[in-house]
Amino acid sequence: MARSERLLALLQILRRHRHTVSGATLAGELGISIRTLYRDIASLQAQGADIEGEPGVGYILRPGFMLPPLMFSQGELEALMLGFRWVQKFADAPVTKAATDALAKISAVLPAELREELESTALLVGPRRIVDSEVVDLALIRTAIRRERKLRLSYADSVGALSERTIWPVALGYFEDTRMLVAWCESRQGYRHFRTERMLALAMLEERFPRRRAAMLKEWKETEAGPRRPIGAEAGTDTPSANAKSQP
């Protein structure tokens, strides 16, 4: 492995580890000696990488380090472009714009030959089967998720029955034929799935969740791991999770 490739690989390994990782572990993953690893760490630090630690203690990469002109493999470029094309086809306009801006930033720092490979990737995404039909702003949902703020929701189920709910938004799923909000519903005392095209009105409240969203997301995933239909498998309204309390 060339030294430039090895330095990039070292950065990727450090990014994967959220906590301090020993020099022996890093050297083992890269297949290099511990002395070579120390030299590579020093080289990255000299280039501006905020790597903290020392021999015998371990190392951690602090967030915020920007790489110089990027190098990607063919497979990585294909994955980037395929992901962007999927977002462009299935996400709402603000997310698509954000993806376009991110792709432009990546493209701007790529060497010319890699930029050409990125733009000529042959992996395509099929057509979307529905058109956007939401009357609410999905950006408000994403903001509430990030800020862990409650939402007041007016919702119509599959037969048109209306309801008013206070929910704690946990995740927003994008599918080929719908978009689905995962949320804890105060009135149902359980996780429910709300199709965004059936939302009639939405307001973000000042009140925050009493629990951390990350913990709730983990709990919902564990609930979904049980035997049940996938989200969106039936055209219902809010679909109760398998282990959640259920009531009319």
Side-chain angles (χ1 to χ4, degrees):
M1 182 188 298
R3 185 168 183 270
S4 60
E5 294 179 355
R6 191 175 71 240
L7 292 177
L8 286 170
L10 176 55
L11 280 172
Q12 290 300 102
I13 294 171
L14 285 167
R15 283 195 175 100
R16 289 203 308 268
H17 292 276
R18 296 184 179 182
H19 305 287
T20 302
V21 56
S22 70
T25 298
L26 294 171
E29 288 197 45
L30 291 167
I32 59 177
S33 69
I34 192 69
R35 180 171 295 182
T36 299
L37 174 78
Y38 293 155
R39 287 199 299 265
D40 287 350
I41 291 286
S43 178
L44 288 172
Q45 289 171 329
Q47 294 180 48
D50 189 5
I51 301 173
E52 295 183 359
E54 59 185 70
V57 176
Y59 298 93
I60 186 170
L61 176 64
R62 297 301 180 187
F65 176 58
M66 301 297 292
L67 285 173
L70 300 176
M71 298 295 291
F72 290 100
S73 69
Q74 182 64 43
E76 289 169 338
L77 288 173
E78 289 177 343
L80 280 172
M81 200 62 196
L82 181 62
F84 167 72
R85 287 172 176 169
W86 193 96
V87 168
Q88 190 178 44
K89 188 66 64 72
F90 295 106
D92 53 293
V95 173
T96 298
K97 182 182 182 301
T100 301
D101 292 344
L103 189 69
K105 290 177 182 179
I106 293 172
S107 181
V109 296
L110 284 175
E113 63 275 12
L114 289 183
R115 189 179 307 119
E116 183 177 345
E117 291 283 355
L118 180 69
E119 295 170 353
S120 63
T121 297
L123 301 183
L124 304 176
V125 175
R128 188 177 178 191
R129 297 197 294 266
I130 62 169
V131 296
D132 292 349
S133 57
E134 289 94 355
V135 297
V136 299
D137 185 1
L138 299 190
L140 181 64
I141 295 177
R142 291 192 295 270
T143 299
I145 290 173
R146 288 194 299 269
R147 297 181 181 177
E148 299 185 346
R149 297 266 291 276
K150 295 183 180 182
L151 290 171
R152 187 62 182 168
L153 171 66
S154 298
Y155 192 76
D157 67 13
S158 58
V159 296
L162 304 181
S163 63
E164 296 283 336
R165 301 150 183 263
T166 297
I167 60 174
W168 312 348
V170 175
L172 185 61
Y174 290 79
F175 302 88
E176 289 186 8
D177 57 354
T178 191
R179 293 159 184 156
M180 193 83 67
L181 174 65
V182 177
W184 176 269
C185 178
E186 290 188 355
S187 61
R188 299 295 189 266
Q189 284 296 293
Y191 291 103
R192 293 294 188 271
H193 307 127
F194 300 94
R195 296 173 70 108
T196 56
E197 75 272 15
R198 294 179 184 163
M199 296 178 179
L200 305 178
L202 201 61
M204 186 165 64
L205 307 179
E206 290 297 326
E207 190 176 0
R208 294 175 59 89
F209 304 172
R211 301 176 57 197
R212 294 306 305 270
R213 186 187 65 85
M216 294 176 63
L217 181 60
K218 180 180 179 182
E219 181 180 71
W220 169 76
K221 287 179 177 178
E222 291 171 349
T223 301
E224 290 300 299
R228 67 180 302 277
R229 283 186 294 269
I231 299 177
E234 68 173 352
T237 69
D238 52 327
T239 305
S241 296
N243 298 326
K245 297 178 183 178
S246 179
Q247 55 181 323

